[in-house]
Amino acid sequence: MSANSSRAGQLLLQASACISWKQDVEGAVYHLANCLLLLGFMGGSGVYGCFYFFGFLSAGYLCCVLWGWFSACGLDIVLWSFLLAVVCLLQLAHLVYRLREDTLAEEFDLLYKTLCLPLQVPLQTYKEIVHCCEKQVLTLATEQTYAVEGETPINRLSLLLSGRVRVSQDGQFLHYIFPYQFMDSPEWESLQPSEEGVFQVTLTAETSCSYISWPRKSLHLLLTKERYISCLFSALLGYDISEKLYTLNDKLFAKFGLRFDIRLPSLYHVLGPTAADAGAESEKGDEEACEPAASPPQATPTSLQQTPPCSPPPAATNFPAPPSWARLSRPDSGILGEDSTSLVLEDFEEVSGSESFMDYRSDGEYMR
C-alpha cells in the first residue's frame, strides 16, 4: 500500500508528459463548441429551460464532432461527441412529443385560463377534470333544446362555452345562461348521487352554442376519489347558483323601482305560499266582512252573548272572487300585475315597520 502511494507521488511530482506545446490554436470550430456548451449549462429548469439546455448542448457537441474530424483528427473525440449529440437530440424529441401530447384544445385551454387559472388550479388537476368529460365539445343549434321540462332526465352536468341559452318554465322566461356558466347546476345540487329526477325547466339555445358535459356517474366517481376536485366543484357550483338566484331577483322586482332582498319573509307569500295559509286567510277575511258595524260589545257574560247571523249579500254585489295565491303560478316573464305589486308593497311595509327587520331603501341599501 505504501509502495503504491509513493509511486503515485512520484508521478505527480514528475514533469508534464507534454514535450512541446502546440503553437497554433485549435481553430474557430473548437472555440465555438465550448461557447455553446457554456451557454447550454447556463439553462434553467422547467420545460422551456430543458429546451434551452438540450438545444445548446446538441449544437455544442455537433461542433465538437466537426472539430475532431477536421482539426484534431481523433476518432475517440468524434465518437464521443457524436454519441453525446445524439443523446441530446433524442431528449429534445421526447420533450416535443410530451409537449404536443399534453397540449389541450383551444376551447379547453381558454376555459382553463378563464375559470381555473384565477383559482390557481394545477394544470394536472385540470387535465383530470377534462379527461372525465372525454375532451369532447358538444354543440347546440339555434332554438335547439338542451332539456325539456318534466321529460329530460338529470344524468349529466354541463358547462356552456359559447352562445346563450334561454331558461323557461311553463312557457315563461326566467333568465339566460351565458358562457362559462353551468347549464344545470340547480338540478345537479338538488339530487343525491343515488337519486334520479327530471328537469323542472326548459333550456333552449338562442344562438349557436358549444358546451362540455360530464356524465353524472363518472363525475361523482371523480369527486369521491379526489377531495380537491370535489371542493373546487362545490365552490364553482355554489357561485353559479347564487348568480342565477340574484338574476331572478333583479328580473322579478325591477319594475317596482326597489331592489328587494330575496331573503325577506314578505316575499315568501308572493313567490309561493301554501294552499292552507291562503285558505285560512280567505276564511278570516270572510268572517271579518260578516261582522256588523255596531257599537262596541258590552261587558256581558260570554255564555249569554249571541252572534247575529250573517246575512248573505245581495245578488247584485256578488262579484267574482279573485284567484287565491295558491292558484297563481310564478310571475309572467318577471312582470307582476298591478294587484300583485300593491300586495307586495303592503306586505313589505308591514314587515319593515317592525323593529325585528331592517328597512330597505330604494337605492338598494339597508337602514335601521
Side-chain angles (χ1 to χ4, degrees):
M1 186 71 179
S2 59
N4 293 335
S5 60
S6 60
R7 186 175 182 180
Q10 290 177 1
L11 291 175
L12 292 175
L13 294 175
Q14 285 179 359
S16 176
C18 295
I19 300 176
S20 62
W21 294 92
K22 295 177 61 176
Q23 298 298 324
D24 55 338
V25 295
E26 293 297 336
V29 179
Y30 175 78
H31 296 289
L32 177 62
N34 285 276
C35 290
L36 292 175
L37 292 176
L38 176 62
L39 292 176
F41 285 117
M42 294 173 62
S45 60
V47 178
Y48 296 102
C50 291
F51 271 105
Y52 176 90
F53 177 74
F54 289 107
F56 274 103
L57 288 186
S58 301
Y61 286 127
L62 287 177
C63 289
C64 288
V65 171
L66 296 178
W67 168 73
W69 185 270
F70 293 105
S71 298
C73 297
L75 184 60
D76 52 349
I77 298 176
V78 174
L79 292 178
W80 275 109
S81 300
F82 180 77
L83 179 62
L84 293 173
V86 170
V87 171
C88 292
L89 290 175
L90 290 177
Q91 185 66 29
L92 278 176
H94 177 69
L95 287 174
V96 172
Y97 173 76
R98 288 289 303 274
L99 189 63
R100 183 176 181 181
E101 184 182 18
D102 295 340
T103 301
L104 298 172
E106 182 180 358
E107 295 85 356
F108 292 102
D109 185 62
L110 186 59
L111 175 62
Y112 175 73
K113 294 179 180 178
T114 305
L115 199 62
C116 296
L117 188 59
L119 299 177
Q120 299 181 357
V121 178
L123 184 59
Q124 190 61 34
T125 303
Y126 176 72
K127 290 177 182 178
E128 293 183 17
I129 298 174
V130 171
H131 181 72
C132 184
C133 68
E134 299 178 356
K135 298 182 180 181
Q136 292 183 356
V137 178
L138 307 176
T139 58
L140 286 174
T142 305
E143 296 302 325
Q144 183 180 356
T145 57
Y146 168 81
V148 180
E149 178 182 352
E151 297 181 6
T152 305
I154 305 173
N155 55 8
R156 54 182 172 169
L157 177 66
S158 301
L159 179 70
L160 187 64
L161 297 179
S162 63
R164 186 175 64 185
V165 175
R166 181 178 67 252
V167 182
S168 59
Q169 188 176 43
D170 296 333
Q172 306 299 326
F173 169 76
L174 295 180
H175 62 89
Y176 284 114
I177 298 177
F178 296 100
Y180 303 111
Q181 289 184 342
F182 288 97
M183 300 173 65
D184 41 13
S185 53
E187 287 77 13
W188 173 270
E189 291 291 337
S190 64
L191 296 179
Q192 297 295 328
S194 59
E195 296 179 347
E196 296 182 357
V198 294
F199 278 81
Q200 301 300 317
V201 293
T202 299
L203 280 71
T204 307
E206 280 209 344
T207 60
S208 298
C209 301
S210 62
Y211 66 97
I212 57 176
S213 185
W214 293 274
R216 186 176 182 85
K217 294 183 178 179
S218 301
L219 184 56
H220 270 301
L221 183 62
L222 178 63
L223 298 181
T224 304
K225 183 176 63 174
E226 298 292 340
R227 182 175 179 82
Y228 177 80
I229 299 178
S230 177
C231 295
L232 176 64
F233 267 85
S234 297
L236 293 176
L237 290 171
Y239 177 78
D240 187 81
I241 293 175
S242 64
E243 286 292 317
K244 289 181 172 62
L245 288 176
Y246 277 102
T247 301
L248 287 173
N249 184 39
D250 290 339
K251 182 179 181 302
L252 287 173
F253 305 109
K255 185 181 178 182
F256 296 165
L258 299 174
R259 181 180 293 275
F260 291 95
D261 193 338
I262 57 176
R263 297 168 293 180
L264 289 176
S266 58
L267 301 181
Y268 171 76
H269 301 287
V270 179
L271 295 179
T274 57
D277 294 341
E281 291 179 2
S282 61
E283 291 177 2
K284 182 179 179 181
D286 295 340
E287 291 177 0
E288 292 178 355
C290 293
E291 292 180 357
S295 59
Q298 300 178 358
T300 56
T302 308
S303 59
L304 299 178
Q305 290 181 355
Q306 296 181 359
T307 302
C310 180
S311 58
T317 60
N318 286 337
F319 297 101
S324 62
W325 286 108
R327 283 174 277 169
L328 286 178
S329 60
R330 53 198 49 78
D332 297 344
S333 301
I335 301 176
L336 301 176
E338 297 180 356
D339 296 337
S340 303
T341 305
S342 60
L343 288 173
V344 171
L345 292 177
E346 291 175 1
D347 197 5
F348 177 74
E349 291 175 357
E350 293 177 1
V351 174
S352 61
S354 62
E355 297 181 356
S356 60
F357 294 93
M358 293 185 294
D359 293 339
Y360 209 79
R361 300 188 304 184
S362 60
D363 56 356
E365 296 181 359
Y366 284 103
M367 64 179 180
R368 290 285 182 182

